Amino acid sequence: MFNHLLSLLIWLPVVGAIPVLLAGTARPHLARWLSMLVAVLTFVVSLFLLLQYNADAGGMQLTESYMWIASWGVHYSLAVDGISVALILMTSFVGILVIAGAWEVIQDKPHQYMAAMLMLEGLLIGVFCATDALLFYALFEAILIPMFILIGIWGGPRRVYATLKFFIYTFFGSVFMLIALLYLYQKAGTFDMATLAALPLTMKEQTWIFFAFLIAFAIKVPMVPVHTWLPDAHVEAPTGGSVVLAAVMLKVGTYGMLRFILPMVPDAGAHYAWLVIVLSLVAIVYIGYVALVQEDMKKLVAYSSVAHMGFVTLGIFIAFWLVREQGSTGMALLGMQGAMVQMISHGFISGAMFTCIGVLYDRMHTRSIKDYGGVINVMPWFGFFYVLFAMANCGLPGTSGFVGEFMVILASFSANPWIALFAAFTLIIGAAYTLWLVKRVLWGDITNPHVAEMKEINGRETFVLAAFAVAVLALGIWPQPLVHLMDSSVSQLVQQLAIHKI
Protein backbone atom coordinates (compact mmCIF):
# COMPACT_ATOMS: atom_id res chain seq x y z
CA MET A 1 0.00 0.00 0.00
CA PHE A 2 2.86 2.39 0.82
CA ASN A 3 4.10 2.14 -2.79
CA HIS A 4 0.82 3.70 -3.95
CA LEU A 5 0.02 5.86 -0.95
CA LEU A 6 -0.46 9.06 -2.97
CA SER A 7 -2.75 7.40 -5.49
CA LEU A 8 -4.76 5.96 -2.61
CA LEU A 9 -5.12 9.43 -1.08
CA ILE A 10 -6.37 10.86 -4.37
CA TRP A 11 -8.67 8.08 -5.49
CA LEU A 12 -10.11 6.97 -2.15
CA PRO A 13 -12.40 10.04 -1.81
CA VAL A 14 -13.07 10.20 -5.58
CA VAL A 15 -14.09 6.54 -5.87
CA GLY A 16 -15.71 6.68 -2.43
CA ALA A 17 -18.04 9.37 -3.76
CA ILE A 18 -19.65 6.81 -6.10
CA PRO A 19 -21.43 4.68 -3.43
CA VAL A 20 -22.40 7.92 -1.66
CA LEU A 21 -24.00 9.10 -4.89
CA LEU A 22 -25.69 5.74 -5.43
CA ALA A 23 -27.30 5.94 -1.98
CA GLY A 24 -29.75 8.36 -3.59
CA THR A 25 -32.39 10.61 -2.09
CA ALA A 26 -34.20 7.62 -0.55
CA ARG A 27 -31.30 6.87 1.84
CA PRO A 28 -29.81 10.20 2.96
CA HIS A 29 -28.70 8.77 6.31
CA LEU A 30 -26.65 6.10 4.53
CA ALA A 31 -25.09 8.71 2.23
CA ARG A 32 -24.00 10.80 5.22
CA TRP A 33 -22.43 7.88 7.07
CA LEU A 34 -20.67 6.58 3.93
CA SER A 35 -19.23 10.02 3.21
CA MET A 36 -18.00 10.35 6.80
CA LEU A 37 -16.40 6.89 6.60
CA VAL A 38 -14.57 7.83 3.39
CA ALA A 39 -13.44 11.19 4.84
CA VAL A 40 -12.12 9.54 8.03
CA LEU A 41 -10.30 6.83 6.03
CA THR A 42 -8.70 9.53 3.86
CA PHE A 43 -7.49 11.35 6.96
CA VAL A 44 -6.08 8.10 8.40
CA VAL A 45 -4.19 7.47 5.14
CA SER A 46 -2.84 11.04 5.28
CA LEU A 47 -1.48 10.25 8.76
CA PHE A 48 0.29 7.23 7.25
CA LEU A 49 1.72 9.63 4.68
CA LEU A 50 3.09 11.81 7.49
CA LEU A 51 4.74 8.76 9.07
CA GLN A 52 6.27 7.63 5.78
CA TYR A 53 7.66 11.03 4.81
CA ASN A 54 11.24 11.75 5.93
CA ALA A 55 11.18 15.43 6.89
CA ASP A 56 14.93 15.55 7.58
CA ALA A 57 15.80 14.49 4.04
CA GLY A 58 13.31 16.83 2.38
CA GLY A 59 12.89 16.82 -1.38
CA MET A 60 10.30 14.89 -3.37
CA GLN A 61 9.49 11.48 -1.87
CA LEU A 62 7.03 8.57 -2.31
CA THR A 63 7.29 8.94 -6.06
CA GLU A 64 4.85 7.25 -8.43
CA SER A 65 5.10 7.52 -12.21
CA TYR A 66 3.17 5.81 -15.00
CA MET A 67 2.81 6.67 -18.66
CA TRP A 68 -0.47 8.49 -19.25
CA ILE A 69 -0.44 9.96 -22.79
CA ALA A 70 2.47 8.31 -24.59
CA SER A 71 2.29 10.43 -27.75
CA TRP A 72 2.86 13.60 -25.72
CA GLY A 73 5.15 12.05 -23.13
CA VAL A 74 2.68 12.89 -20.35
CA HIS A 75 3.03 10.87 -17.16
CA TYR A 76 0.77 10.24 -14.21
CA SER A 77 3.55 11.39 -11.88
CA LEU A 78 3.10 11.97 -8.18
CA ALA A 79 5.46 12.90 -5.35
CA VAL A 80 5.35 14.99 -2.18
CA ASP A 81 7.66 17.21 -0.18
CA GLY A 82 7.06 18.66 3.28
CA ILE A 83 4.88 21.50 1.96
CA SER A 84 2.68 19.04 0.06
CA VAL A 85 2.33 16.76 3.09
CA ALA A 86 1.23 19.67 5.30
CA LEU A 87 -1.38 20.80 2.76
CA ILE A 88 -2.67 17.24 2.26
CA LEU A 89 -3.05 16.77 6.02
CA MET A 90 -4.97 20.03 6.27
CA THR A 91 -7.19 19.07 3.32
CA SER A 92 -8.13 15.67 4.77
CA PHE A 93 -8.66 17.19 8.24
CA VAL A 94 -10.97 19.90 6.91
CA GLY A 95 -12.75 17.25 4.80
CA ILE A 96 -14.03 15.49 7.94
CA LEU A 97 -15.21 18.76 9.51
CA VAL A 98 -17.03 19.85 6.34
CA ILE A 99 -18.92 16.54 6.16
CA ALA A 100 -19.80 16.77 9.87
CA GLY A 101 -20.82 20.41 9.52
CA ALA A 102 -23.30 19.62 6.73
CA TRP A 103 -24.78 16.58 8.51
CA GLU A 104 -28.15 18.10 9.41
CA VAL A 105 -27.88 21.36 7.48
CA ILE A 106 -28.03 19.97 3.93
CA GLN A 107 -31.48 18.43 3.49
CA ASP A 108 -31.81 18.85 -0.28
CA LYS A 109 -29.99 16.06 -2.16
CA PRO A 110 -27.47 15.38 0.63
CA HIS A 111 -25.99 12.42 -1.28
CA GLN A 112 -25.01 14.68 -4.16
CA TYR A 113 -23.60 17.34 -1.83
CA MET A 114 -21.47 14.81 0.07
CA ALA A 115 -20.27 13.18 -3.17
CA ALA A 116 -19.23 16.55 -4.60
CA MET A 117 -17.29 17.33 -1.41
CA LEU A 118 -15.43 14.02 -1.54
CA MET A 119 -14.55 14.46 -5.21
CA LEU A 120 -13.30 17.97 -4.51
CA GLU A 121 -11.15 16.65 -1.66
CA GLY A 122 -9.56 13.99 -3.86
CA LEU A 123 -8.84 16.44 -6.68
CA LEU A 124 -7.28 18.97 -4.29
CA ILE A 125 -5.00 16.28 -2.86
CA GLY A 126 -4.06 15.43 -6.46
CA VAL A 127 -3.03 19.03 -7.12
CA PHE A 128 -0.66 18.89 -4.14
CA CYS A 129 0.89 15.62 -5.39
CA ALA A 130 1.26 16.18 -9.15
CA THR A 131 4.79 16.44 -10.55
CA ASP A 132 3.79 16.39 -14.22
CA ALA A 133 2.78 19.88 -15.37
CA LEU A 134 -0.09 18.71 -17.58
CA LEU A 135 -1.45 16.48 -14.82
CA PHE A 136 -1.24 19.46 -12.46
CA TYR A 137 -3.11 21.59 -15.00
CA ALA A 138 -5.83 18.95 -15.47
CA LEU A 139 -6.40 18.70 -11.72
CA PHE A 140 -6.09 22.49 -11.33
CA GLU A 141 -9.03 22.82 -13.73
CA ALA A 142 -10.97 19.82 -12.44
CA ILE A 143 -11.39 21.30 -8.95
CA LEU A 144 -13.59 23.99 -10.51
CA ILE A 145 -16.29 21.46 -11.39
CA PRO A 146 -17.36 20.20 -7.92
CA MET A 147 -17.08 23.73 -6.48
CA PHE A 148 -19.19 25.05 -9.36
CA ILE A 149 -21.80 22.40 -8.51
CA LEU A 150 -21.68 23.11 -4.76
CA ILE A 151 -22.26 26.84 -5.18
CA GLY A 152 -24.65 26.48 -8.13
CA ILE A 153 -27.02 23.98 -6.46
CA TRP A 154 -26.79 24.68 -2.71
CA GLY A 155 -25.84 28.35 -2.89
CA GLY A 156 -27.80 31.51 -2.10
CA PRO A 157 -30.22 33.57 -4.21
CA ARG A 158 -27.47 34.93 -6.51
CA ARG A 159 -25.70 31.58 -6.87
CA VAL A 160 -25.85 31.52 -10.68
CA TYR A 161 -24.12 34.89 -10.93
CA ALA A 162 -21.52 33.87 -8.33
CA THR A 163 -20.74 30.53 -9.99
CA LEU A 164 -20.37 32.05 -13.44
CA LYS A 165 -18.12 34.82 -12.13
CA PHE A 166 -16.04 32.29 -10.19
CA PHE A 167 -15.71 29.99 -13.21
CA ILE A 168 -14.98 32.71 -15.77
CA TYR A 169 -12.32 34.39 -13.63
CA THR A 170 -10.46 31.19 -12.79
CA PHE A 171 -10.79 29.66 -16.25
CA PHE A 172 -9.56 32.89 -17.85
CA GLY A 173 -6.37 32.73 -15.79
CA SER A 174 -5.89 29.05 -16.58
CA VAL A 175 -5.72 29.78 -20.31
CA PHE A 176 -2.53 31.79 -19.78
CA MET A 177 -1.08 28.96 -17.72
CA LEU A 178 -1.84 26.44 -20.48
CA ILE A 179 -0.16 28.63 -23.11
CA ALA A 180 2.96 28.90 -20.93
CA LEU A 181 3.03 25.12 -20.37
CA LEU A 182 2.69 24.42 -24.09
CA TYR A 183 5.58 26.77 -24.82
CA LEU A 184 7.74 25.06 -22.20
CA TYR A 185 6.76 21.65 -23.63
CA GLN A 186 7.75 22.80 -27.10
CA LYS A 187 11.18 23.76 -25.70
CA ALA A 188 11.76 20.77 -23.42
CA GLY A 189 9.73 17.99 -25.06
CA THR A 190 8.28 16.96 -21.71
CA PHE A 191 5.84 18.14 -19.05
CA ASP A 192 7.99 16.83 -16.19
CA MET A 193 8.18 19.70 -13.71
CA ALA A 194 11.74 18.91 -12.58
CA THR A 195 12.95 18.99 -16.20
CA LEU A 196 11.10 22.25 -16.86
CA ALA A 197 12.72 23.76 -13.76
CA ALA A 198 16.17 23.00 -15.23
CA LEU A 199 15.31 24.35 -18.70
CA PRO A 200 17.46 27.38 -19.66
CA LEU A 201 15.35 30.38 -20.69
CA THR A 202 16.17 33.91 -21.82
CA MET A 203 14.94 36.87 -19.78
CA LYS A 204 12.34 37.67 -22.43
CA GLU A 205 11.02 34.12 -22.33
CA GLN A 206 11.00 34.12 -18.54
CA THR A 207 9.12 37.42 -18.44
CA TRP A 208 6.28 36.21 -20.67
CA ILE A 209 6.03 32.90 -18.80
CA PHE A 210 6.20 34.67 -15.41
CA PHE A 211 3.22 36.87 -16.18
CA ALA A 212 1.26 33.95 -17.65
CA PHE A 213 1.76 31.97 -14.45
CA LEU A 214 1.21 35.04 -12.25
CA ILE A 215 -2.19 35.78 -13.82
CA ALA A 216 -3.32 32.17 -13.36
CA PHE A 217 -2.20 31.85 -9.76
CA ALA A 218 -3.01 35.43 -8.67
CA ILE A 219 -6.66 34.85 -9.60
CA LYS A 220 -6.69 31.67 -7.55
CA VAL A 221 -5.12 33.23 -4.40
CA PRO A 222 -6.75 35.79 -5.08
CA MET A 223 -4.55 38.87 -5.27
CA VAL A 224 -5.58 42.46 -5.87
CA PRO A 225 -6.92 43.46 -8.42
CA VAL A 226 -8.33 40.08 -9.53
CA HIS A 227 -9.98 39.31 -6.19
CA THR A 228 -13.56 40.45 -6.81
CA TRP A 229 -14.90 36.96 -7.57
CA LEU A 230 -14.10 35.74 -4.04
CA PRO A 231 -16.59 37.76 -1.93
CA ASP A 232 -19.46 36.86 -4.27
CA ALA A 233 -18.49 33.17 -4.27
CA HIS A 234 -18.26 33.10 -0.46
CA VAL A 235 -21.53 34.94 0.12
CA GLU A 236 -23.50 32.62 -2.15
CA ALA A 237 -21.72 29.34 -1.31
CA PRO A 238 -23.11 26.96 1.31
CA THR A 239 -21.12 26.91 4.55
CA GLY A 240 -19.12 23.80 3.56
CA GLY A 241 -18.28 25.32 0.19
CA SER A 242 -17.00 28.50 1.86
CA VAL A 243 -14.90 26.49 4.31
CA VAL A 244 -13.19 24.42 1.58
CA LEU A 245 -12.81 27.43 -0.70
CA ALA A 246 -11.08 29.52 1.98
CA ALA A 247 -9.21 26.77 3.80
CA VAL A 248 -7.84 24.80 0.85
CA MET A 249 -8.68 26.08 -2.64
CA LEU A 250 -7.05 29.49 -2.19
CA LYS A 251 -3.80 27.70 -1.25
CA VAL A 252 -3.67 26.13 -4.73
CA GLY A 253 -2.67 29.56 -6.08
CA THR A 254 0.28 30.10 -3.74
CA TYR A 255 1.27 26.42 -4.07
CA GLY A 256 1.39 26.91 -7.85
CA MET A 257 3.73 29.87 -7.39
CA LEU A 258 6.10 27.64 -5.41
CA ARG A 259 6.04 24.87 -8.03
CA PHE A 260 6.18 26.96 -11.22
CA ILE A 261 7.32 30.57 -10.77
CA LEU A 262 10.12 30.00 -8.25
CA PRO A 263 11.97 27.13 -9.97
CA MET A 264 11.08 27.73 -13.65
CA VAL A 265 11.45 31.51 -14.04
CA PRO A 266 13.66 32.61 -11.11
CA ASP A 267 15.23 35.59 -12.90
CA ALA A 268 11.90 37.07 -13.96
CA GLY A 269 10.54 36.31 -10.51
CA ALA A 270 13.38 38.25 -8.90
CA HIS A 271 13.06 41.12 -11.40
CA TYR A 272 9.32 41.56 -10.85
CA ALA A 273 9.22 40.65 -7.16
CA TRP A 274 8.61 44.33 -6.38
CA LEU A 275 5.29 44.16 -8.28
CA VAL A 276 3.99 41.20 -6.26
CA ILE A 277 5.23 42.80 -3.03
CA VAL A 278 3.33 46.02 -3.83
CA LEU A 279 0.16 44.09 -4.72
CA SER A 280 0.51 42.09 -1.49
CA LEU A 281 0.81 45.26 0.59
CA VAL A 282 -2.23 46.74 -1.17
CA ALA A 283 -4.17 43.59 -0.27
CA ILE A 284 -2.98 43.75 3.35
CA VAL A 285 -3.81 47.44 3.89
CA TYR A 286 -6.51 48.51 1.41
CA ILE A 287 -8.59 45.32 1.55
CA GLY A 288 -8.52 45.59 5.34
CA TYR A 289 -10.33 48.91 5.03
CA VAL A 290 -12.79 47.37 2.57
CA ALA A 291 -13.53 44.63 5.12
CA LEU A 292 -14.15 47.27 7.78
CA VAL A 293 -17.23 48.67 6.02
CA GLN A 294 -18.95 45.36 5.18
CA GLU A 295 -22.41 44.67 6.59
CA ASP A 296 -22.47 41.00 5.55
CA MET A 297 -20.49 38.70 7.85
CA LYS A 298 -19.41 36.36 5.07
CA LYS A 299 -18.27 39.20 2.85
CA LEU A 300 -16.24 40.68 5.71
CA VAL A 301 -14.42 37.39 6.33
CA ALA A 302 -13.96 36.91 2.57
CA TYR A 303 -12.16 40.25 2.28
CA SER A 304 -10.21 39.33 5.39
CA SER A 305 -8.99 36.23 3.53
CA VAL A 306 -7.65 38.38 0.70
CA ALA A 307 -5.71 40.47 3.22
CA HIS A 308 -4.29 37.47 5.08
CA MET A 309 -3.31 35.68 1.87
CA GLY A 310 -1.37 38.83 1.02
CA PHE A 311 1.05 37.77 3.77
CA VAL A 312 1.67 34.49 1.96
CA THR A 313 2.55 36.14 -1.37
CA LEU A 314 4.60 38.78 0.49
CA GLY A 315 6.62 36.09 2.29
CA ILE A 316 7.29 34.20 -0.94
CA PHE A 317 8.44 37.18 -3.00
CA ILE A 318 10.28 39.03 -0.23
CA ALA A 319 12.53 35.95 -0.27
CA PHE A 320 13.50 36.79 -3.87
CA TRP A 321 14.52 40.27 -2.76
CA LEU A 322 16.49 39.04 0.23
CA VAL A 323 18.42 36.39 -1.73
CA ARG A 324 19.14 38.37 -4.90
CA GLU A 325 19.64 41.87 -3.49
CA GLN A 326 21.10 41.21 -0.02
CA GLY A 327 22.34 37.62 -0.21
CA SER A 328 20.49 36.93 3.04
CA THR A 329 19.39 33.32 2.71
CA GLY A 330 18.69 33.06 6.45
CA MET A 331 16.06 35.82 6.44
CA ALA A 332 14.70 34.58 3.10
CA LEU A 333 14.22 31.18 4.73
CA LEU A 334 12.38 32.85 7.63
CA GLY A 335 10.08 34.74 5.26
CA MET A 336 9.33 31.65 3.18
CA GLN A 337 8.69 29.55 6.29
CA GLY A 338 6.36 32.27 7.56
CA ALA A 339 4.45 32.20 4.28
CA MET A 340 4.04 28.42 4.52
CA VAL A 341 2.89 28.56 8.15
CA GLN A 342 0.46 31.35 7.24
CA MET A 343 -1.00 29.16 4.48
CA ILE A 344 -1.84 26.41 6.95
CA SER A 345 -2.92 28.81 9.69
CA HIS A 346 -5.24 30.72 7.40
CA GLY A 347 -6.82 27.41 6.38
CA PHE A 348 -7.81 26.65 9.95
CA ILE A 349 -8.82 30.19 10.97
CA SER A 350 -10.84 31.03 7.87
CA GLY A 351 -12.51 27.62 7.94
CA ALA A 352 -13.46 28.19 11.58
CA MET A 353 -14.76 31.72 10.93
CA PHE A 354 -16.98 30.57 8.08
CA THR A 355 -18.21 27.66 10.20
CA CYS A 356 -19.21 30.11 12.94
CA ILE A 357 -21.09 32.23 10.42
CA GLY A 358 -22.80 29.07 9.18
CA VAL A 359 -23.91 28.22 12.73
CA LEU A 360 -25.53 31.65 13.05
CA TYR A 361 -27.08 31.48 9.58
CA ASP A 362 -28.65 28.08 10.27
CA ARG A 363 -30.58 29.65 13.17
CA MET A 364 -31.42 33.10 11.81
CA HIS A 365 -31.14 32.71 8.00
CA THR A 366 -29.43 36.05 7.69
CA ARG A 367 -25.79 37.11 7.46
CA SER A 368 -26.46 40.80 8.01
CA ILE A 369 -24.51 42.01 11.04
CA LYS A 370 -27.23 44.48 12.06
CA ASP A 371 -29.72 41.63 12.62
CA TYR A 372 -27.66 40.28 15.51
CA GLY A 373 -26.42 41.60 18.84
CA GLY A 374 -26.26 39.97 22.27
CA VAL A 375 -25.79 36.46 20.86
CA ILE A 376 -23.45 35.53 23.71
CA ASN A 377 -26.38 35.87 26.16
CA VAL A 378 -28.11 32.86 24.61
CA MET A 379 -25.10 31.00 23.13
CA PRO A 380 -22.19 31.36 25.59
CA TRP A 381 -20.25 28.32 24.33
CA PHE A 382 -20.58 29.54 20.77
CA GLY A 383 -19.39 32.94 21.94
CA PHE A 384 -16.28 31.34 23.43
CA PHE A 385 -15.32 29.74 20.11
CA TYR A 386 -16.24 32.82 18.10
CA VAL A 387 -14.04 35.10 20.22
CA LEU A 388 -11.15 32.60 20.05
CA PHE A 389 -11.23 32.47 16.25
CA ALA A 390 -11.68 36.23 16.05
CA MET A 391 -8.56 36.72 18.18
CA ALA A 392 -6.67 34.30 15.94
CA ASN A 393 -7.86 36.30 12.93
CA CYS A 394 -6.38 39.42 14.58
CA GLY A 395 -3.02 37.63 14.97
CA LEU A 396 -3.11 37.27 18.76
CA PRO A 397 0.07 35.63 20.17
CA GLY A 398 -0.65 32.08 21.23
CA THR A 399 -2.85 31.45 18.20
CA SER A 400 -1.76 30.27 14.76
CA GLY A 401 -2.61 33.67 13.26
CA PHE A 402 0.39 35.23 14.98
CA VAL A 403 3.17 32.82 14.00
CA GLY A 404 3.29 33.10 10.20
CA GLU A 405 2.56 36.82 10.08
CA PHE A 406 5.28 37.58 12.65
CA MET A 407 7.85 35.57 10.67
CA VAL A 408 6.95 37.38 7.43
CA ILE A 409 7.11 40.79 9.14
CA LEU A 410 10.58 40.00 10.56
CA ALA A 411 11.86 38.97 7.12
CA SER A 412 10.26 42.05 5.55
CA PHE A 413 11.98 44.31 8.08
CA SER A 414 15.33 42.82 7.06
CA ALA A 415 14.55 43.65 3.41
CA ASN A 416 13.07 47.10 4.00
CA PRO A 417 11.61 48.54 7.23
CA TRP A 418 8.91 50.38 5.27
CA ILE A 419 7.60 47.10 3.88
CA ALA A 420 7.46 45.69 7.41
CA LEU A 421 5.63 48.81 8.61
CA PHE A 422 2.89 48.46 5.99
CA ALA A 423 2.68 44.69 6.57
CA ALA A 424 2.39 45.15 10.34
CA PHE A 425 -0.43 47.62 9.79
CA THR A 426 -2.71 44.65 9.16
CA LEU A 427 -2.48 43.81 12.87
CA ILE A 428 -4.23 47.11 13.57
CA ILE A 429 -6.79 47.14 10.77
CA GLY A 430 -7.37 43.37 11.20
CA ALA A 431 -8.14 43.90 14.88
CA ALA A 432 -10.42 46.80 13.94
CA TYR A 433 -12.71 44.94 11.56
CA THR A 434 -12.67 41.69 13.55
CA LEU A 435 -13.40 43.25 16.94
CA TRP A 436 -16.03 45.53 15.37
CA LEU A 437 -17.69 42.38 14.00
CA VAL A 438 -17.54 40.61 17.38
CA LYS A 439 -18.90 43.65 19.22
CA ARG A 440 -21.95 43.95 16.97
CA VAL A 441 -22.74 40.23 16.81
CA LEU A 442 -21.93 38.91 20.30
CA TRP A 443 -22.00 41.74 22.83
CA GLY A 444 -24.69 44.10 24.02
CA ASP A 445 -28.36 43.62 24.75
CA ILE A 446 -30.63 41.46 22.64
CA THR A 447 -32.69 43.75 20.41
CA ASN A 448 -33.98 41.16 17.94
CA PRO A 449 -36.55 38.70 19.36
CA HIS A 450 -35.32 36.04 16.95
CA VAL A 451 -31.87 36.22 18.60
CA ALA A 452 -33.51 35.51 21.96
CA GLU A 453 -34.90 32.26 20.52
CA MET A 454 -31.52 30.98 19.25
CA LYS A 455 -30.37 27.68 20.72
CA GLU A 456 -26.86 26.86 21.96
CA ILE A 457 -24.58 24.84 19.69
CA ASN A 458 -25.26 21.11 19.67
CA GLY A 459 -22.77 18.24 19.99
CA ARG A 460 -22.02 18.07 16.26
CA GLU A 461 -21.32 21.80 16.00
CA THR A 462 -19.23 21.69 19.18
CA PHE A 463 -17.11 18.88 17.72
CA VAL A 464 -16.42 20.83 14.51
CA LEU A 465 -15.58 24.09 16.30
CA ALA A 466 -13.49 22.32 18.96
CA ALA A 467 -11.46 20.55 16.26
CA PHE A 468 -10.71 23.88 14.59
CA ALA A 469 -9.86 25.38 18.00
CA VAL A 470 -7.38 22.60 18.78
CA ALA A 471 -5.66 23.14 15.41
CA VAL A 472 -5.49 26.93 15.86
CA LEU A 473 -4.11 26.71 19.41
CA ALA A 474 -1.72 23.82 18.74
CA LEU A 475 -0.14 25.62 15.80
CA GLY A 476 -0.01 28.88 17.74
CA ILE A 477 1.57 27.42 20.88
CA TRP A 478 3.84 24.81 19.29
CA PRO A 479 4.54 25.52 15.59
CA GLN A 480 7.83 23.59 15.60
CA PRO A 481 6.45 20.27 14.23
CA LEU A 482 4.93 22.06 11.22
CA VAL A 483 8.06 24.17 10.66
CA HIS A 484 10.26 21.04 10.90
CA LEU A 485 8.04 19.16 8.46
CA MET A 486 8.48 21.86 5.82
CA ASP A 487 11.96 23.12 6.71
CA SER A 488 14.08 21.03 4.31
CA SER A 489 11.66 21.61 1.44
CA VAL A 490 11.57 25.36 2.08
CA SER A 491 15.39 25.44 2.29
CA GLN A 492 15.63 23.81 -1.13
CA LEU A 493 13.20 26.38 -2.57
CA VAL A 494 15.28 29.23 -1.14
CA GLN A 495 18.42 27.73 -2.70
CA GLN A 496 16.65 27.70 -6.06
CA LEU A 497 16.05 31.46 -5.78
CA ALA A 498 19.79 32.05 -6.12
CA ILE A 499 20.03 30.10 -9.39
CA HIS A 500 20.42 32.24 -12.52
CA LYS A 501 19.16 30.85 -15.83
CA ILE A 502 20.63 33.62 -17.98
Side-chain angles (χ1 to χ4, degrees):
M1 182 181 75
F2 295 131
N3 293 332
H4 306 285
L5 199 57
L6 301 183
S7 289
L8 181 62
L9 272 167
I10 296 168
W11 294 106
L12 177 59
V14 172
V15 175
I18 297 173
V20 173
L21 203 57
L22 293 175
T25 54
R27 292 170 291 182
H29 201 59
L30 176 62
R32 293 185 180 102
W33 279 107
L34 282 173
S35 60
M36 179 57 75
L37 176 63
V38 173
V40 170
L41 286 174
T42 305
F43 180 64
V44 170
V45 176
S46 70
L47 293 177
F48 275 110
L49 173 67
L50 179 63
L51 294 174
Q52 289 295 304
Y53 180 76
N54 184 351
D56 294 323
M60 289 295 180
Q61 301 176 27
L62 302 169
T63 304
E64 297 179 37
S65 185
Y66 310 96
M67 183 59 71
W68 182 23
I69 307 174
S71 57
W72 292 356
V74 181
H75 288 76
Y76 172 81
S77 296
L78 309 173
V80 289
D81 64 358
I83 299 167
S84 305
V85 172
L87 289 167
I88 290 168
L89 276 168
M90 182 180 71
T91 303
S92 60
F93 177 78
V94 169
I96 295 175
L97 302 185
V98 166
I99 297 294
W103 200 265
E104 298 167 0
V105 176
I106 302 297
Q107 295 294 328
D108 180 33
K109 306 182 185 72
H111 63 296
Q112 295 180 10
Y113 178 91
M114 300 296 185
M117 276 295 180
L118 290 173
M119 288 184 179
L120 180 58
E121 180 181 352
L123 294 171
L124 284 166
I125 291 172
V127 169
F128 299 136
C129 295
T131 55
D132 182 281
L134 197 63
L135 176 64
F136 179 95
Y137 178 80
L139 294 165
F140 185 82
E141 290 297 279
I143 60 177
L144 298 180
I145 299 170
M147 183 55 74
F148 184 92
I149 293 170
L150 287 166
I151 301 174
I153 295 178
W154 294 276
R158 298 176 71 242
R159 60 185 178 272
V160 175
Y161 166 77
T163 49
L164 288 175
K165 189 174 183 181
F166 161 69
F167 192 87
I168 290 169
Y169 261 76
T170 49
F171 191 75
F172 171 79
S174 301
V175 171
F176 290 93
M177 180 183 176
L178 180 60
I179 293 169
L181 291 179
L182 290 175
Y183 181 82
L184 290 169
Y185 172 76
Q186 179 263 332
K187 292 269 295 185
T190 180
F191 285 105
D192 177 65
M193 287 161 64
T195 305
L196 296 181
L199 184 68
L201 296 167
T202 66
M203 189 60 187
K204 184 178 180 181
E205 288 174 318
Q206 287 193 49
T207 299
W208 283 104
I209 293 168
F210 169 81
F211 280 105
F213 284 148
L214 182 63
I215 291 170
F217 298 132
I219 291 173
K220 210 78 165 185
V221 170
M223 295 177 64
V224 175
V226 288
H227 65 284
T228 57
W229 65 268
L230 184 67
D232 290 314
H234 271 310
V235 166
E236 299 305 321
T239 299
S242 288
V243 171
V244 174
L245 180 60
V248 187
M249 281 191 72
L250 303 188
K251 313 308 178 289
V252 171
T254 46
Y255 181 79
M257 291 178 180
L258 299 175
R259 293 291 178 244
F260 288 86
I261 293 179
L262 265 65
M264 295 182 191
V265 287
D267 299 299
H271 186 73
Y272 293 103
W274 65 269
L275 174 62
V276 182
I277 291 170
V278 169
L279 293 176
S280 300
L281 292 174
V282 170
I284 290 169
V285 179
Y286 166 68
I287 298 299
Y289 278 112
V290 174
L292 193 59
V293 299
Q294 298 306 313
E295 290 299 325
D296 184 297
M297 286 188 286
K298 260 195 172 184
K299 192 166 280 192
L300 187 151
V301 178
Y303 279 114
S304 168
S305 288
V306 178
H308 287 295
M309 287 301 290
F311 265 97
V312 181
T313 51
L314 175 62
I316 292 171
F317 282 86
I318 205 73
F320 269 115
W321 199 332
L322 287 163
V323 170
R324 293 295 184 98
E325 300 296 326
Q326 300 182 7
S328 178
T329 55
M331 294 308 294
L333 180 63
L334 180 68
M336 191 79 79
Q337 284 175 331
M340 299 304 100
V341 172
Q342 176 68 3
M343 272 208 296
I344 304 300
S345 168
H346 177 263
F348 294 135
I349 295 171
S350 62
M353 290 292 288
F354 280 114
T355 301
C356 287
I357 294 169
V359 168
L360 294 173
Y361 183 81
D362 293 339
R363 287 157 172 77
M364 289 275 289
H365 301 289
T366 176
R367 292 181 299 269
S368 180
I369 298 171
K370 64 181 175 59
D371 293 332
Y372 292 89
V375 170
I376 201 163
N377 295 301
V378 291
M379 301 175 68
W381 276 110
F382 171 79
F384 165 77
F385 286 115
Y386 199 57
V387 170
L388 170 64
F389 299 134
M391 294 300 99
N393 201 49
C394 295
L396 183 74
T399 66
S400 63
F402 172 76
V403 181
E405 292 182 2
F406 184 65
M407 294 166 78
V408 172
I409 290 171
L410 280 179
S412 300
F413 188 86
S414 180
N416 188 310
W418 286 104
I419 295 175
L421 177 65
F422 279 106
F425 190 71
T426 192
L427 301 175
I428 301 171
I429 191 67
Y433 61 68
T434 305
L435 295 177
W436 182 228
L437 171 67
V438 170
K439 178 184 181 297
R440 290 179 289 171
V441 172
L442 288 185
W443 309 127
D445 297 325
I446 297 175
T447 56
N448 186 337
H450 295 295
V451 172
E453 298 170 1
M454 292 172 68
K455 296 186 182 301
E456 180 64 285
I457 51 175
N458 57 33
R460 173 184 56 82
E461 293 166 332
T462 302
F463 164 74
V464 174
L465 294 175
F468 274 123
V470 169
V472 168
L473 290 172
L475 183 54
I477 295 169
W478 193 32
Q480 177 56 30
L482 177 63
V483 173
H484 174 69
L485 174 65
M486 299 188 290
D487 187 50
S488 295
S489 301
V490 172
S491 297
Q492 290 170 9
L493 283 174
V494 171
Q495 290 168 12
Q496 287 179 325
L497 299 181
I499 297 173
H500 292 267
K501 283 194 171 188
I502 53 175

